[in-house]
């Protein structure tokens, strides 16, 4: 995968905001018509005390969604939790996992937001720019904007509005389960992002590539923590 380092890493929030403001102008949304052949997804899991971040990336064929490859990366958490600056906290782990992939995906799906973000430049936008690939944010919680109530049946959706514009969709992916929040990150548009996520659903709340990446990240964390704790003590006699 082609990767361009966008900047050094910020020391504080003011530097992060400045870097984000610079990248905002590079967010390009395009009308894609060609379906992807391979979809990559990446998600993370925090270790004990939130000091380590475990990232897992997976590549799946499309539209049959057969796994092609998976990778893992562990990074120390260096940046504090600040809403709207998630990339600067999780970006090193996500980037590390994606760089370990040998396959070349056509699109990247991430647990986070694209333009449904206060600065129109969320985690998915940052990653899309860095890898120069279409990217989609698919989050479990709304960060900014508003939408009308989403019906409880699978397939119901409402546009997310921010500053008078549509920036994504609140989409009910499973009956009576909380909606997911879809937004384009880079080199795709609202309809492409929604349609691809919907076509990747397999009866669960999350699209299958992202669901698998989520499971793998948690398994990686659990495995590492079991090894760190060492063998269980023998039972007393």
């Amino acid at each position: 995968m082609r990767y361009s380092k966008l900047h050094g890493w910020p020391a504080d929030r003011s530097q992060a905001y400045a870097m984000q403001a610079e990248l905002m102008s590079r967010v390009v949304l395009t009308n894609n018509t060609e379906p992807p052949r391979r979809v990559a997804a990446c998600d993370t899991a925090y270790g004990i005390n939130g000091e380590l971040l475990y990232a897992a990336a997976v590549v799946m064929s499309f539209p049959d969604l057969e796994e092609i490859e998976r990778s893992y990366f562990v990074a120390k958490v260096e940046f504090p939790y600040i809403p709207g600056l998630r990339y600067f906290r999780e970006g090193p782990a996500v980037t590390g996992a994606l760089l370990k992939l040998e396959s070349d995906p056509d699109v990247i799906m991430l647990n986070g937001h694209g333009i449904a973000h206060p600065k129109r430049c969320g985690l998915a936008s940052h990653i899309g720019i860095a890898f120069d690939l279409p990217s989609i944010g698919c989050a479990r919680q709304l960060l900014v904007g508003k939408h009308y109530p989403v019906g409880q049946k699978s397939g119901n959706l409402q546009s997310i509005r921010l500053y008078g514009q549509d920036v994504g969709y609140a989409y009910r992916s499973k009956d009576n389960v909380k909606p997911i929040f879809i937004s384009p990150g880079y080199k795709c548009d609202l309809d492409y992002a929604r349609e691809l996520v919907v076509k990747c659903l397999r009866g669960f709340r999350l699209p299958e590539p992202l669901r698998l990446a989520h499971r793998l990240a948690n398994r990686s964390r659990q495995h590492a923590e079991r090894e760190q704790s060492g063998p269980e003590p023998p039972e007393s006699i």
Side-chain angles (χ1 to χ4, degrees), residues 71-119:
S71 66
Y72 302 90
F73 194 85
V74 182
K76 187 176 180 181
V77 177
E78 303 281 3
F79 197 81
Y81 170 74
I82 301 172
L85 295 179
R86 183 175 178 179
Y87 168 75
F88 298 100
R89 184 172 173 85
E90 300 190 6
V94 171
T95 299
L98 290 170
L99 284 174
K100 291 178 70 175
L101 295 172
E102 296 183 2
S103 306
D104 289 324
D106 301 301
V107 60
I108 304 174
M109 196 176 293
L110 297 137
N111 172 24
H113 296 278
I115 64 168
H117 180 275
K119 301 296 184 182

mmCIF file of all heavy atoms in Angstrom, residues 71-119:
data_model
loop_
_atom_site.group_PDB
_atom_site.id
_atom_site.type_symbol
_atom_site.label_atom_id
_atom_site.label_comp_id
_atom_site.label_asym_id
_atom_site.label_seq_id
_atom_site.Cartn_x
_atom_site.Cartn_y
_atom_site.Cartn_z
ATOM 1 N N SER A 71 -3.794 -8.454 9.772
ATOM 2 C CA SER A 71 -2.540 -7.991 10.379
ATOM 3 C C SER A 71 -2.843 -7.347 11.725
ATOM 4 O O SER A 71 -3.984 -6.960 12.003
ATOM 5 C CB SER A 71 -1.815 -6.996 9.465
ATOM 6 O OG SER A 71 -2.567 -5.799 9.332
ATOM 7 N N TYR A 72 -1.782 -7.213 12.533
ATOM 8 C CA TYR A 72 -1.926 -6.657 13.878
ATOM 9 C C TYR A 72 -0.807 -5.653 14.140
ATOM 10 O O TYR A 72 0.285 -5.747 13.568
ATOM 11 C CB TYR A 72 -1.853 -7.753 14.942
ATOM 12 C CG TYR A 72 -2.880 -8.841 14.795
ATOM 13 C CD1 TYR A 72 -2.614 -9.981 14.041
ATOM 14 C CD2 TYR A 72 -4.121 -8.740 15.412
ATOM 15 C CE1 TYR A 72 -3.554 -10.984 13.905
ATOM 16 C CE2 TYR A 72 -5.071 -9.739 15.286
ATOM 17 C CZ TYR A 72 -4.780 -10.864 14.529
ATOM 18 O OH TYR A 72 -5.712 -11.859 14.399
ATOM 19 N N PHE A 73 -1.094 -4.719 15.045
ATOM 20 C CA PHE A 73 -0.072 -3.763 15.457
ATOM 21 C C PHE A 73 -0.422 -3.266 16.857
ATOM 22 O O PHE A 73 -1.597 -3.067 17.163
ATOM 23 C CB PHE A 73 -0.007 -2.578 14.484
ATOM 24 C CG PHE A 73 1.209 -1.727 14.638
ATOM 25 C CD1 PHE A 73 2.395 -2.058 14.007
ATOM 26 C CD2 PHE A 73 1.177 -0.585 15.429
ATOM 27 C CE1 PHE A 73 3.531 -1.270 14.149
ATOM 28 C CE2 PHE A 73 2.296 0.205 15.582
ATOM 29 C CZ PHE A 73 3.484 -0.139 14.937
ATOM 30 N N VAL A 74 0.599 -3.082 17.668
ATOM 31 C CA VAL A 74 0.402 -2.575 19.023
ATOM 32 C C VAL A 74 1.195 -1.276 19.166
ATOM 33 O O VAL A 74 2.366 -1.205 18.770
ATOM 34 C CB VAL A 74 0.869 -3.589 20.087
ATOM 35 C CG1 VAL A 74 0.596 -3.044 21.490
ATOM 36 C CG2 VAL A 74 0.182 -4.929 19.888
ATOM 37 N N ALA A 75 0.572 -0.256 19.714
ATOM 38 C CA ALA A 75 1.232 1.032 19.900
ATOM 39 C C ALA A 75 0.941 1.563 21.289
ATOM 40 O O ALA A 75 -0.139 1.327 21.846
ATOM 41 C CB ALA A 75 0.770 2.036 18.850
ATOM 42 N N LYS A 76 1.881 2.282 21.834
ATOM 43 C CA LYS A 76 1.671 2.950 23.109
ATOM 44 C C LYS A 76 0.796 4.181 22.882
ATOM 45 O O LYS A 76 0.973 4.910 21.907
ATOM 46 C CB LYS A 76 3.002 3.369 23.714
ATOM 47 C CG LYS A 76 2.896 3.920 25.121
ATOM 48 C CD LYS A 76 4.260 4.226 25.707
ATOM 49 C CE LYS A 76 4.143 4.774 27.124
ATOM 50 N NZ LYS A 76 5.472 5.098 27.698
ATOM 51 N N VAL A 77 -0.147 4.395 23.768
ATOM 52 C CA VAL A 77 -1.033 5.564 23.654
ATOM 53 C C VAL A 77 -0.280 6.795 24.129
ATOM 54 O O VAL A 77 0.109 6.888 25.298
ATOM 55 C CB VAL A 77 -2.322 5.366 24.471
ATOM 56 C CG1 VAL A 77 -3.187 6.619 24.408
ATOM 57 C CG2 VAL A 77 -3.089 4.153 23.965
ATOM 58 N N GLU A 78 -0.062 7.736 23.218
ATOM 59 C CA GLU A 78 0.740 8.922 23.520
ATOM 60 C C GLU A 78 -0.076 10.205 23.595
ATOM 61 O O GLU A 78 0.410 11.210 24.100
ATOM 62 C CB GLU A 78 1.827 9.091 22.442
ATOM 63 C CG GLU A 78 2.761 7.903 22.270
ATOM 64 C CD GLU A 78 3.842 7.837 23.340
ATOM 65 O OE1 GLU A 78 3.827 8.693 24.247
ATOM 66 O OE2 GLU A 78 4.691 6.938 23.257
ATOM 67 N N PHE A 79 -1.303 10.169 23.071
ATOM 68 C CA PHE A 79 -2.091 11.407 22.972
ATOM 69 C C PHE A 79 -3.351 11.255 23.814
ATOM 70 O O PHE A 79 -3.973 10.189 23.835
ATOM 71 C CB PHE A 79 -2.455 11.672 21.507
ATOM 72 C CG PHE A 79 -2.892 13.078 21.218
ATOM 73 C CD1 PHE A 79 -1.964 14.090 21.035
ATOM 74 C CD2 PHE A 79 -4.242 13.394 21.135
ATOM 75 C CE1 PHE A 79 -2.366 15.385 20.763
ATOM 76 C CE2 PHE A 79 -4.660 14.687 20.869
ATOM 77 C CZ PHE A 79 -3.716 15.690 20.684
ATOM 78 N N PRO A 80 -3.777 12.302 24.518
ATOM 79 C CA PRO A 80 -4.964 12.191 25.386
ATOM 80 C C PRO A 80 -6.249 12.058 24.591
ATOM 81 O O PRO A 80 -6.301 12.370 23.395
ATOM 82 C CB PRO A 80 -4.936 13.509 26.173
ATOM 83 C CG PRO A 80 -4.223 14.459 25.279
ATOM 84 C CD PRO A 80 -3.171 13.649 24.576
ATOM 85 N N TYR A 81 -7.300 11.618 25.270
ATOM 86 C CA TYR A 81 -8.610 11.542 24.639
ATOM 87 C C TYR A 81 -9.208 12.938 24.560
ATOM 88 O O TYR A 81 -9.463 13.588 25.579
ATOM 89 C CB TYR A 81 -9.551 10.629 25.430
ATOM 90 C CG TYR A 81 -10.976 10.722 24.935
ATOM 91 C CD1 TYR A 81 -11.345 10.132 23.738
ATOM 92 C CD2 TYR A 81 -11.935 11.447 25.652
ATOM 93 C CE1 TYR A 81 -12.643 10.237 23.268
ATOM 94 C CE2 TYR A 81 -13.240 11.558 25.183
ATOM 95 C CZ TYR A 81 -13.583 10.952 23.989
ATOM 96 O OH TYR A 81 -14.860 11.068 23.514
ATOM 97 N N ILE A 82 -9.431 13.403 23.331
ATOM 98 C CA ILE A 82 -10.066 14.694 23.079
ATOM 99 C C ILE A 82 -11.060 14.485 21.937
ATOM 100 O O ILE A 82 -10.667 14.092 20.842
ATOM 101 C CB ILE A 82 -9.036 15.778 22.678
ATOM 102 C CG1 ILE A 82 -7.986 15.956 23.777
ATOM 103 C CG2 ILE A 82 -9.740 17.099 22.385
ATOM 104 C CD1 ILE A 82 -6.828 16.853 23.389
ATOM 105 N N PRO A 83 -12.357 14.694 22.181
ATOM 106 C CA PRO A 83 -13.337 14.518 21.108
ATOM 107 C C PRO A 83 -12.964 15.329 19.869
ATOM 108 O O PRO A 83 -12.612 16.505 19.961
ATOM 109 C CB PRO A 83 -14.635 15.035 21.739
ATOM 110 C CG PRO A 83 -14.446 14.815 23.210
ATOM 111 C CD PRO A 83 -12.992 15.089 23.456
ATOM 112 N N GLY A 84 -13.016 14.677 18.720
ATOM 113 C CA GLY A 84 -12.665 15.328 17.464
ATOM 114 C C GLY A 84 -11.213 15.148 17.066
ATOM 115 O O GLY A 84 -10.837 15.460 15.935
ATOM 116 N N LEU A 85 -10.386 14.628 17.969
ATOM 117 C CA LEU A 85 -8.960 14.428 17.669
ATOM 118 C C LEU A 85 -8.576 12.957 17.821
ATOM 119 O O LEU A 85 -7.456 12.632 18.201
ATOM 120 C CB LEU A 85 -8.083 15.296 18.577
ATOM 121 C CG LEU A 85 -8.222 16.804 18.399
ATOM 122 C CD1 LEU A 85 -7.325 17.546 19.383
ATOM 123 C CD2 LEU A 85 -7.882 17.224 16.961
ATOM 124 N N ARG A 86 -9.503 12.082 17.512
ATOM 125 C CA ARG A 86 -9.257 10.649 17.693
ATOM 126 C C ARG A 86 -8.100 10.137 16.853
ATOM 127 O O ARG A 86 -7.362 9.240 17.263
ATOM 128 C CB ARG A 86 -10.532 9.875 17.348
ATOM 129 C CG ARG A 86 -10.433 8.384 17.562
ATOM 130 C CD ARG A 86 -11.765 7.722 17.316
ATOM 131 N NE ARG A 86 -11.693 6.294 17.475
ATOM 132 C CZ ARG A 86 -12.722 5.493 17.329
ATOM 133 N NH1 ARG A 86 -13.909 5.986 17.037
ATOM 134 N NH2 ARG A 86 -12.593 4.193 17.482
ATOM 135 N N TYR A 87 -7.941 10.701 15.670
ATOM 136 C CA TYR A 87 -6.846 10.248 14.797
ATOM 137 C C TYR A 87 -5.496 10.358 15.484
ATOM 138 O O TYR A 87 -4.644 9.468 15.347
ATOM 139 C CB TYR A 87 -6.838 11.062 13.502
ATOM 140 C CG TYR A 87 -5.585 10.853 12.681
ATOM 141 C CD1 TYR A 87 -5.391 9.693 11.945
ATOM 142 C CD2 TYR A 87 -4.583 11.824 12.658
ATOM 143 C CE1 TYR A 87 -4.238 9.504 11.200
ATOM 144 C CE2 TYR A 87 -3.428 11.636 11.917
ATOM 145 C CZ TYR A 87 -3.260 10.481 11.193
ATOM 146 O OH TYR A 87 -2.109 10.294 10.466
ATOM 147 N N PHE A 88 -5.286 11.414 16.233
ATOM 148 C CA PHE A 88 -3.982 11.627 16.853
ATOM 149 C C PHE A 88 -3.743 10.689 18.032
ATOM 150 O O PHE A 88 -2.621 10.517 18.475
ATOM 151 C CB PHE A 88 -3.844 13.084 17.284
ATOM 152 C CG PHE A 88 -3.910 14.029 16.120
ATOM 153 C CD1 PHE A 88 -5.089 14.710 15.826
ATOM 154 C CD2 PHE A 88 -2.812 14.216 15.300
ATOM 155 C CE1 PHE A 88 -5.162 15.566 14.739
ATOM 156 C CE2 PHE A 88 -2.879 15.068 14.208
ATOM 157 C CZ PHE A 88 -4.052 15.745 13.922
ATOM 158 N N ARG A 89 -4.787 10.061 18.506
ATOM 159 C CA ARG A 89 -4.670 9.073 19.580
ATOM 160 C C ARG A 89 -4.529 7.655 19.018
ATOM 161 O O ARG A 89 -3.708 6.874 19.486
ATOM 162 C CB ARG A 89 -5.893 9.167 20.492
ATOM 163 C CG ARG A 89 -5.860 8.266 21.717
ATOM 164 C CD ARG A 89 -7.039 8.605 22.614
ATOM 165 N NE ARG A 89 -7.213 7.695 23.734
ATOM 166 C CZ ARG A 89 -6.584 7.802 24.911
ATOM 167 N NH1 ARG A 89 -5.733 8.787 25.101
ATOM 168 N NH2 ARG A 89 -6.818 6.936 25.882
ATOM 169 N N GLU A 90 -5.320 7.342 17.992
ATOM 170 C CA GLU A 90 -5.353 5.987 17.464
ATOM 171 C C GLU A 90 -4.630 5.829 16.133
ATOM 172 O O GLU A 90 -4.382 4.705 15.689
ATOM 173 C CB GLU A 90 -6.808 5.523 17.327
ATOM 174 C CG GLU A 90 -7.564 5.520 18.649
ATOM 175 C CD GLU A 90 -8.912 4.831 18.548
ATOM 176 O OE1 GLU A 90 -9.217 4.259 17.480
ATOM 177 O OE2 GLU A 90 -9.662 4.860 19.544
ATOM 178 N N GLY A 91 -4.296 6.934 15.495
ATOM 179 C CA GLY A 91 -3.674 6.884 14.176
ATOM 180 C C GLY A 91 -2.421 6.028 14.087
ATOM 181 O O GLY A 91 -2.255 5.271 13.118
ATOM 182 N N PRO A 92 -1.474 6.122 15.055
ATOM 183 C CA PRO A 92 -0.267 5.299 14.943
ATOM 184 C C PRO A 92 -0.555 3.800 14.893
ATOM 185 O O PRO A 92 0.063 3.067 14.115
ATOM 186 C CB PRO A 92 0.517 5.675 16.208
ATOM 187 C CG PRO A 92 0.067 7.055 16.533
ATOM 188 C CD PRO A 92 -1.384 7.080 16.168
ATOM 189 N N ALA A 93 -1.493 3.322 15.706
ATOM 190 C CA ALA A 93 -1.824 1.898 15.715
ATOM 191 C C ALA A 93 -2.546 1.499 14.429
ATOM 192 O O ALA A 93 -2.235 0.469 13.815
ATOM 193 C CB ALA A 93 -2.672 1.556 16.935
ATOM 194 N N VAL A 94 -3.517 2.311 14.001
ATOM 195 C CA VAL A 94 -4.255 2.018 12.776
ATOM 196 C C VAL A 94 -3.323 2.006 11.576
ATOM 197 O O VAL A 94 -3.334 1.079 10.752
ATOM 198 C CB VAL A 94 -5.395 3.038 12.582
ATOM 199 C CG1 VAL A 94 -6.034 2.886 11.204
ATOM 200 C CG2 VAL A 94 -6.444 2.883 13.671
ATOM 201 N N THR A 95 -2.478 3.023 11.468
ATOM 202 C CA THR A 95 -1.534 3.104 10.359
ATOM 203 C C THR A 95 -0.584 1.915 10.376
ATOM 204 O O THR A 95 -0.291 1.316 9.337
ATOM 205 C CB THR A 95 -0.743 4.417 10.435
ATOM 206 O OG1 THR A 95 -1.651 5.519 10.330
ATOM 207 C CG2 THR A 95 0.274 4.511 9.309
ATOM 208 N N GLY A 96 -0.094 1.553 11.563
ATOM 209 C CA GLY A 96 0.826 0.429 11.668
ATOM 210 C C GLY A 96 0.212 -0.866 11.192
ATOM 211 O O GLY A 96 0.855 -1.651 10.471
ATOM 212 N N ALA A 97 -1.040 -1.123 11.568
ATOM 213 C CA ALA A 97 -1.712 -2.357 11.134
ATOM 214 C C ALA A 97 -1.931 -2.361 9.624
ATOM 215 O O ALA A 97 -1.723 -3.385 8.952
ATOM 216 C CB ALA A 97 -3.037 -2.515 11.867
ATOM 217 N N LEU A 98 -2.344 -1.228 9.059
ATOM 218 C CA LEU A 98 -2.583 -1.163 7.618
ATOM 219 C C LEU A 98 -1.295 -1.319 6.826
ATOM 220 O O LEU A 98 -1.280 -1.955 5.760
ATOM 221 C CB LEU A 98 -3.270 0.160 7.261
ATOM 222 C CG LEU A 98 -4.723 0.302 7.731
ATOM 223 C CD1 LEU A 98 -5.203 1.738 7.538
ATOM 224 C CD2 LEU A 98 -5.644 -0.663 6.979
ATOM 225 N N LEU A 99 -0.203 -0.775 7.329
ATOM 226 C CA LEU A 99 1.069 -0.872 6.613
ATOM 227 C C LEU A 99 1.617 -2.299 6.585
ATOM 228 O O LEU A 99 2.443 -2.622 5.732
ATOM 229 C CB LEU A 99 2.099 0.066 7.247
ATOM 230 C CG LEU A 99 1.941 1.545 6.919
ATOM 231 C CD1 LEU A 99 2.921 2.391 7.731
ATOM 232 C CD2 LEU A 99 2.162 1.780 5.424
ATOM 233 N N LYS A 100 1.171 -3.129 7.488
ATOM 234 C CA LYS A 100 1.637 -4.518 7.511
ATOM 235 C C LYS A 100 0.890 -5.401 6.503
ATOM 236 O O LYS A 100 1.292 -6.539 6.273
ATOM 237 C CB LYS A 100 1.502 -5.091 8.924
ATOM 238 C CG LYS A 100 2.476 -4.476 9.925
ATOM 239 C CD LYS A 100 2.281 -5.033 11.315
ATOM 240 C CE LYS A 100 2.723 -6.464 11.429
ATOM 241 N NZ LYS A 100 2.644 -6.958 12.829
ATOM 242 N N LEU A 101 -0.158 -4.886 5.916
ATOM 243 C CA LEU A 101 -0.890 -5.656 4.911
ATOM 244 C C LEU A 101 -0.086 -5.751 3.620
ATOM 245 O O LEU A 101 0.542 -4.783 3.191
ATOM 246 C CB LEU A 101 -2.241 -4.995 4.615
ATOM 247 C CG LEU A 101 -3.256 -4.962 5.755
ATOM 248 C CD1 LEU A 101 -4.455 -4.093 5.364
ATOM 249 C CD2 LEU A 101 -3.713 -6.373 6.122
ATOM 250 N N GLU A 102 -0.123 -6.908 3.006
ATOM 251 C CA GLU A 102 0.541 -7.094 1.713
ATOM 252 C C GLU A 102 -0.425 -6.926 0.555
ATOM 253 O O GLU A 102 -0.023 -6.639 -0.561
ATOM 254 C CB GLU A 102 1.196 -8.472 1.662
ATOM 255 C CG GLU A 102 2.326 -8.652 2.682
ATOM 256 C CD GLU A 102 3.011 -9.999 2.576
ATOM 257 O OE1 GLU A 102 2.624 -10.788 1.679
ATOM 258 O OE2 GLU A 102 3.917 -10.267 3.375
ATOM 259 N N SER A 103 -1.711 -7.107 0.814
ATOM 260 C CA SER A 103 -2.721 -6.923 -0.227
ATOM 261 C C SER A 103 -2.965 -5.432 -0.461
ATOM 262 O O SER A 103 -2.741 -4.611 0.427
ATOM 263 C CB SER A 103 -4.039 -7.585 0.186
ATOM 264 O OG SER A 103 -3.840 -8.933 0.527
ATOM 265 N N ASP A 104 -3.440 -5.109 -1.644
ATOM 266 C CA ASP A 104 -3.774 -3.722 -1.982
ATOM 267 C C ASP A 104 -5.285 -3.563 -2.023
ATOM 268 O O ASP A 104 -5.930 -3.944 -3.004
ATOM 269 C CB ASP A 104 -3.173 -3.336 -3.331
ATOM 270 C CG ASP A 104 -1.666 -3.193 -3.284
ATOM 271 O OD1 ASP A 104 -1.164 -2.714 -2.244
ATOM 272 O OD2 ASP A 104 -0.994 -3.570 -4.253
ATOM 273 N N PRO A 105 -5.890 -3.011 -0.976
ATOM 274 C CA PRO A 105 -7.348 -2.813 -0.995
ATOM 275 C C PRO A 105 -7.733 -1.646 -1.888
ATOM 276 O O PRO A 105 -6.906 -0.783 -2.226
ATOM 277 C CB PRO A 105 -7.671 -2.516 0.468
ATOM 278 C CG PRO A 105 -6.424 -1.888 0.998
ATOM 279 C CD PRO A 105 -5.286 -2.573 0.284
ATOM 280 N N ASP A 106 -8.993 -1.613 -2.257
ATOM 281 C CA ASP A 106 -9.527 -0.520 -3.066
ATOM 282 C C ASP A 106 -10.218 0.530 -2.226
ATOM 283 O O ASP A 106 -10.458 1.650 -2.685
ATOM 284 C CB ASP A 106 -10.513 -1.074 -4.098
ATOM 285 C CG ASP A 106 -9.864 -2.095 -5.013
ATOM 286 O OD1 ASP A 106 -8.888 -1.744 -5.679
ATOM 287 O OD2 ASP A 106 -10.335 -3.251 -5.033
ATOM 288 N N VAL A 107 -10.563 0.182 -0.984
ATOM 289 C CA VAL A 107 -11.242 1.108 -0.090
ATOM 290 C C VAL A 107 -10.936 0.674 1.342
ATOM 291 O O VAL A 107 -10.712 -0.515 1.602
ATOM 292 C CB VAL A 107 -12.770 1.130 -0.360
ATOM 293 C CG1 VAL A 107 -13.368 -0.241 -0.153
ATOM 294 C CG2 VAL A 107 -13.487 2.159 0.498
ATOM 295 N N ILE A 108 -10.912 1.645 2.254
ATOM 296 C CA ILE A 108 -10.648 1.360 3.669
ATOM 297 C C ILE A 108 -11.864 1.787 4.483
ATOM 298 O O ILE A 108 -12.364 2.904 4.350
ATOM 299 C CB ILE A 108 -9.399 2.108 4.173
ATOM 300 C CG1 ILE A 108 -8.183 1.790 3.321
ATOM 301 C CG2 ILE A 108 -9.117 1.743 5.637
ATOM 302 C CD1 ILE A 108 -6.946 2.617 3.673
ATOM 303 N N MET A 109 -12.302 0.895 5.353
ATOM 304 C CA MET A 109 -13.436 1.153 6.244
ATOM 305 C C MET A 109 -12.909 1.226 7.674
ATOM 306 O O MET A 109 -12.133 0.369 8.096
ATOM 307 C CB MET A 109 -14.453 0.017 6.105
ATOM 308 C CG MET A 109 -15.818 0.296 6.645
ATOM 309 S SD MET A 109 -16.957 -1.102 6.297
ATOM 310 C CE MET A 109 -17.074 -0.988 4.504
ATOM 311 N N LEU A 110 -13.324 2.252 8.420
ATOM 312 C CA LEU A 110 -12.770 2.468 9.749
ATOM 313 C C LEU A 110 -13.852 2.727 10.777
ATOM 314 O O LEU A 110 -14.901 3.294 10.472
ATOM 315 C CB LEU A 110 -11.805 3.667 9.722
ATOM 316 C CG LEU A 110 -10.592 3.444 8.826
ATOM 317 C CD1 LEU A 110 -10.313 4.668 8.017
ATOM 318 C CD2 LEU A 110 -9.389 3.036 9.639
ATOM 319 N N ASN A 111 -13.570 2.303 12.000
ATOM 320 C CA ASN A 111 -14.454 2.618 13.124
ATOM 321 C C ASN A 111 -14.171 4.058 13.539
ATOM 322 O O ASN A 111 -13.275 4.336 14.334
ATOM 323 C CB ASN A 111 -14.194 1.661 14.287
ATOM 324 C CG ASN A 111 -14.949 2.070 15.534
ATOM 325 O OD1 ASN A 111 -15.965 2.762 15.463
ATOM 326 N ND2 ASN A 111 -14.449 1.674 16.696
ATOM 327 N N GLY A 112 -14.919 4.962 12.985
ATOM 328 C CA GLY A 112 -14.712 6.389 13.239
ATOM 329 C C GLY A 112 -15.539 7.178 12.240
ATOM 330 O O GLY A 112 -16.422 6.641 11.575
ATOM 331 N N HIS A 113 -15.244 8.448 12.137
ATOM 332 C CA HIS A 113 -16.021 9.323 11.263
ATOM 333 C C HIS A 113 -15.161 9.869 10.125
ATOM 334 O O HIS A 113 -13.931 9.958 10.237
ATOM 335 C CB HIS A 113 -16.585 10.495 12.063
ATOM 336 C CG HIS A 113 -17.563 10.073 13.112
ATOM 337 N ND1 HIS A 113 -18.889 9.807 12.831
ATOM 338 C CD2 HIS A 113 -17.411 9.859 14.445
ATOM 339 C CE1 HIS A 113 -19.518 9.463 13.936
ATOM 340 N NE2 HIS A 113 -18.643 9.481 14.930
ATOM 341 N N GLY A 114 -15.845 10.221 9.058
ATOM 342 C CA GLY A 114 -15.211 10.926 7.958
ATOM 343 C C GLY A 114 -15.538 12.402 8.059
ATOM 344 O O GLY A 114 -15.035 13.104 8.928
ATOM 345 N N ILE A 115 -16.449 12.872 7.205
ATOM 346 C CA ILE A 115 -16.796 14.297 7.232
ATOM 347 C C ILE A 115 -17.894 14.607 8.252
ATOM 348 O O ILE A 115 -18.204 15.783 8.457
ATOM 349 C CB ILE A 115 -17.202 14.810 5.846
ATOM 350 C CG1 ILE A 115 -18.474 14.111 5.353
ATOM 351 C CG2 ILE A 115 -16.055 14.628 4.851
ATOM 352 C CD1 ILE A 115 -19.093 14.771 4.125
ATOM 353 N N ALA A 116 -18.473 13.592 8.888
ATOM 354 C CA ALA A 116 -19.425 13.841 9.980
ATOM 355 C C ALA A 116 -18.632 14.153 11.243
ATOM 356 O O ALA A 116 -18.616 13.396 12.214
ATOM 357 C CB ALA A 116 -20.331 12.631 10.181
ATOM 358 N N HIS A 117 -17.982 15.283 11.193
ATOM 359 C CA HIS A 117 -16.941 15.646 12.160
ATOM 360 C C HIS A 117 -16.926 17.172 12.282
ATOM 361 O O HIS A 117 -17.226 17.882 11.311
ATOM 362 C CB HIS A 117 -15.591 15.126 11.630
ATOM 363 C CG HIS A 117 -14.424 15.415 12.507
ATOM 364 N ND1 HIS A 117 -13.732 16.606 12.452
ATOM 365 C CD2 HIS A 117 -13.807 14.665 13.451
ATOM 366 C CE1 HIS A 117 -12.754 16.566 13.326
ATOM 367 N NE2 HIS A 117 -12.772 15.413 13.949
ATOM 368 N N PRO A 118 -16.597 17.721 13.446
ATOM 369 C CA PRO A 118 -16.632 19.184 13.603
ATOM 370 C C PRO A 118 -15.815 19.936 12.565
ATOM 371 O O PRO A 118 -16.185 21.045 12.158
ATOM 372 C CB PRO A 118 -16.066 19.395 15.012
ATOM 373 C CG PRO A 118 -16.306 18.112 15.726
ATOM 374 C CD PRO A 118 -16.225 17.042 14.699
ATOM 375 N N LYS A 119 -14.709 19.357 12.122
ATOM 376 C CA LYS A 119 -13.852 20.001 11.130
ATOM 377 C C LYS A 119 -13.921 19.330 9.767
ATOM 378 O O LYS A 119 -13.079 19.574 8.905
ATOM 379 C CB LYS A 119 -12.396 20.003 11.628
ATOM 380 C CG LYS A 119 -12.194 20.709 12.954
ATOM 381 C CD LYS A 119 -12.519 22.187 12.858
ATOM 382 C CE LYS A 119 -12.215 22.903 14.170
ATOM 383 N NZ LYS A 119 -12.582 24.345 14.107
#
